[in-house]
Amino acid sequence: MGWWGTKDQDIRQAMVTFAQGCTNYTGLLGLTPAQLSQINAASQDFTSNLDSVDASKAAAKAAVSVKDETKGTVTDLLSRWTRTFSANPNIPLDVKRQLGIPDPAAPTRTTPKTPTALTALGFSDGRTRLKWNSGGNIQGTRYFIEINEGDTGWELLDVVSATSYTQYDAVVGQKASYRVIAKRRDLESGYSNVATVYDNLGEQEPTLESAA
C-alpha cells in the first residue's frame, strides 16, 4: 500500500495534491509537458469518475468499473513518480512534502548488548582461556578484549567475533585482569564483568589441564 492509502477519497485527495505540486514545480521535477498532462488528466478523470459513482448509485457498477481503471492508473503513477522523486537528491525535501510524499524513514540502529559471565582460566604453559556470553548480540558484532597485567592499566589485547578467546603468551603466576566490550560500527556496549587470574590472594594456581 502506498502513502496515498486505499480508500477512493484518500486517493483522490492524494492525486489532487500530487498533481497540483507537479504543476507548481514542473521544471524542478523534470517533468515534460506530456508527462504533466498525463498526471493532470489521470487526476481529473479519477475525480470525475469518482464523483459519478457518488452521484449516481443506479449506474454504480459501470462507474465503479471505469473508476477502478483510472484508480489503477493513478496508483501506478503515484508509485512510479514517488520512487523517482524520492530517489532524486536535487529535489528539496520541502517540495516532496508538498507533493504529499512522506519523509524517508530513518534506519533503525541498536546498541550492542553488554557481554556477560566473563571467565578466565590460566594454564601452566602460558595460555589463558577466556569465555563469555554474547548477551544476545546479532551477527556482525565484534568483541574487544582488554587486559590489565599487574595493575599497570587497561590496554587492548585482541578483537574477535567469537565468544571465546585464548591468550598464548600470558606470564604464568602474574596477576592479569580481563574485560570485554561489544562494538558494532560506531556503537558500543558497556563493559563486561572483570575476570582475573593469579590475583594477589593466590586463589588460582596454574592448571595442568588442556584448554578445551
Side-chain angles (χ1 to χ4, degrees):
M1 180 184 69
W3 57 266
W4 46 88
T6 57
K7 294 181 179 179
D8 294 340
Q9 296 297 338
D10 292 341
I11 292 175
R12 171 163 59 181
Q13 185 58 51
M15 192 59 188
V16 168
T17 299
F18 188 82
Q20 185 61 54
C22 287
T23 300
N24 293 341
Y25 299 99
T26 302
L28 178 61
L29 296 172
L31 294 169
T32 66
Q35 290 167 339
L36 180 61
S37 177
Q38 183 189 30
I39 291 171
N40 283 325
S43 177
Q44 292 167 7
D45 288 345
F46 181 65
T47 297
S48 176
N49 287 312
L50 184 56
D51 287 343
S52 177
V53 170
D54 293 337
S56 180
K57 296 297 183 181
K61 287 186 179 181
V64 168
S65 177
V66 176
K67 179 267 299 180
D68 285 343
E69 243 180 78
T70 54
K71 178 179 178 179
T73 301
V74 165
T75 55
D76 286 345
L77 283 168
L78 287 170
S79 179
R80 173 155 53 93
W81 287 113
T82 293
R83 290 194 303 270
T84 300
F85 295 156
S86 295
N88 188 342
N90 296 318
I91 300 175
L93 186 60
D94 184 58
V95 171
K96 295 176 184 178
R97 288 171 180 161
Q98 290 186 52
L99 292 170
I101 299 174
D103 295 349
T108 302
R109 303 177 64 205
T110 57
T111 302
K113 309 289 187 181
T114 299
T116 60
L118 173 64
T119 60
L121 181 63
F123 295 85
S124 58
D125 59 2
R127 290 174 295 164
T128 298
R129 181 65 180 268
L130 306 177
K131 291 184 180 181
W132 61 91
N133 188 300
S134 70
N137 280 307
I138 62 175
Q139 186 176 2
T141 302
R142 295 189 300 165
Y143 299 97
F144 287 66
I145 305 167
E146 297 183 6
I147 184 173
N148 182 356
E149 294 181 290
D151 294 324
T152 57
W154 291 101
E155 61 181 30
L156 182 65
L157 175 61
D158 210 339
V159 180
V160 298
S161 57
T163 55
S164 63
Y165 176 79
T166 300
Q167 179 188 10
Y168 290 95
D169 58 353
V171 178
V172 177
Q174 175 178 283
K175 178 184 177 182
S177 297
Y178 302 86
R179 64 184 184 183
V180 178
I181 186 171
K183 297 186 181 183
R184 194 163 53 250
R185 295 186 179 180
D186 59 337
L187 299 176
E188 62 182 39
S189 71
Y191 279 103
S192 70
N193 59 294
V194 174
T196 301
V197 293
Y198 314 129
D199 63 22
N200 292 332
L201 298 177
E203 292 179 351
Q204 177 170 348
E205 295 296 332
T207 177
L208 298 178
E209 298 176 6
S210 297

